[in-house]
Amino acid sequence: MSALGSAATFYALAVVMVTVVAATGGSTTVAMITPVVAAVLMLLVVTRDGWTRSGWASLGLHRLGLRLWPVAVLVPLAVISLGGAVAAALGIAEWNPVGQPGEFGPASWPVIVATNILYAALTVSLTEEIGWRGYLLPRLVALGERRAMLLSGLMHGIWHLPVVLLTSLYLPAGNRAVVIPMFLLCVAAGGVLMGWLRLRTDSVWPAVLAHSAHNVAIFWLADLLDGQETSMAYIAGEAGVVPVATYVALAAVLLVRTRPAKGSSGYPVAVPPARAPEASAL
């Protein structure tokens, strides 16, 4: 099976599974493990690449990509914080720490945020990113890196739609005709950052950290600021004007500056061809 064929099959599996979860009343936690389940099915059953070490190595889990960890964590935190600052400046929300921010003093917040990011990175963000930037993105690189980064982000966003449309668990505030397109734009643009991190380091971990930092920042924003839910959603939430505009501007810069990434071998990051199981296979 070709790289693009593997990408399409993976995506079909992930979308079917998340649709079943949403239609049967499953939780968002269950929905978020469907990308990793789809990736494992592809590796072990469909292409059988997972019966070799190189198949698992294609997910980018074997390298840490440490040099871009600060970028992966600080950029999403800054983007979401900017949205909160604008909402407060416009009088849409006011400072009112509750939850973790309310229980602990500001001096403890950096440690608590870091702990939350680490927890998310080892759980739900990891299960998603193994699928999106671990499995899918490298297989889309056959289309070119710019297209691959954009398309993987957009596909990630569309994958959320069954949960958005069939349940009230995600993006409940605001007019769906406005919120959904803005959300898709946010995830597509944010996906460019995560894809860039993945391809620049040949590691999925920076993308995992960026995903975690984004999610943790969104939750903390809701705990730090008290405002009308719909107005906050339009300004500072995941479909908010400020985060969307900031991610889009950042994505444009990264896409313009993108050059072919090189893996440790000196060649562009690629996916190993499918191979039959060998005696030395894992």
Side-chain angles (χ1 to χ4, degrees):
M1 183 180 290
S2 69
L4 292 179
S6 297
T9 306
F10 158 81
Y11 192 62
L13 286 171
V15 170
V16 167
M17 285 190 288
V18 78
T19 302
V20 170
V21 171
T24 56
S27 68
T28 54
T29 301
V30 175
M32 285 186 285
I33 69 171
T34 58
V36 71
V37 172
V40 170
L41 286 174
M42 290 299 301
L43 287 169
L44 294 181
V45 180
V46 181
T47 66
R48 299 182 67 79
D49 292 345
W51 296 99
T52 66
R53 288 182 176 86
S54 61
W56 291 106
S58 73
L59 297 178
L61 291 165
H62 60 302
R63 292 187 179 87
L64 293 177
L66 287 171
R67 65 186 177 88
L68 287 181
W69 280 24
V71 174
V73 172
L74 294 177
V75 169
L77 291 180
V79 169
I80 303 305
S81 297
L82 178 61
V86 171
L90 293 175
I92 293 171
E94 60 183 18
W95 186 258
N96 184 31
V98 297
Q100 284 186 333
E103 294 172 10
F104 301 93
S108 302
W109 290 354
V111 174
I112 298 170
V113 169
T115 302
N116 288 343
I117 291 173
L118 179 61
Y119 174 78
L122 295 176
T123 53
V124 292
S125 296
L126 179 60
T127 60
E128 282 198 57
E129 287 303 319
I130 286 176
W132 304 124
R133 258 60 64 169
Y135 189 88
L136 178 65
L137 176 62
R139 287 158 177 81
L140 293 176
V141 168
L143 299 172
E145 285 195 3
R146 293 183 179 91
R147 291 190 184 95
M149 290 189 293
L150 270 173
L151 186 57
S152 63
L154 180 59
M155 293 169 77
H156 181 195
I158 292 171
W159 167 84
H160 287 83
L161 291 186
V163 178
V164 174
L165 296 173
L166 299 178
T167 78
S168 59
L169 300 174
Y170 204 65
L171 302 177
N175 185 323
R176 292 294 178 89
V178 175
V179 169
I180 290 176
M182 291 291 283
F183 170 75
L184 292 178
L185 188 56
C186 183
V187 179
V192 170
L193 169 64
M194 295 176 199
W196 181 84
L197 291 166
R198 165 71 163 105
L199 296 177
R200 296 282 78 73
T201 61
D202 200 15
S203 168
V204 77
W205 291 106
V208 172
L209 285 172
H211 193 150
S212 300
H214 172 89
N215 288 350
V216 169
I218 287 290
F219 285 120
W220 269 65
L221 183 69
D223 285 345
L224 287 171
L225 296 178
D226 184 17
Q228 205 280 329
E229 187 179 16
T230 301
S231 298
M232 283 291 290
Y234 287 147
I235 297 297
E238 285 190 283
V241 171
V242 176
V244 171
T246 308
Y247 273 131
V248 166
L250 177 60
V253 172
L254 293 176
L255 291 171
V256 168
R257 295 174 61 88
T258 290
R259 297 292 183 270
K262 299 226 173 165
S264 59
S265 62
Y267 293 96
V269 176
V271 179
R275 297 168 57 191
E278 302 171 358
S280 61
L282 292 175

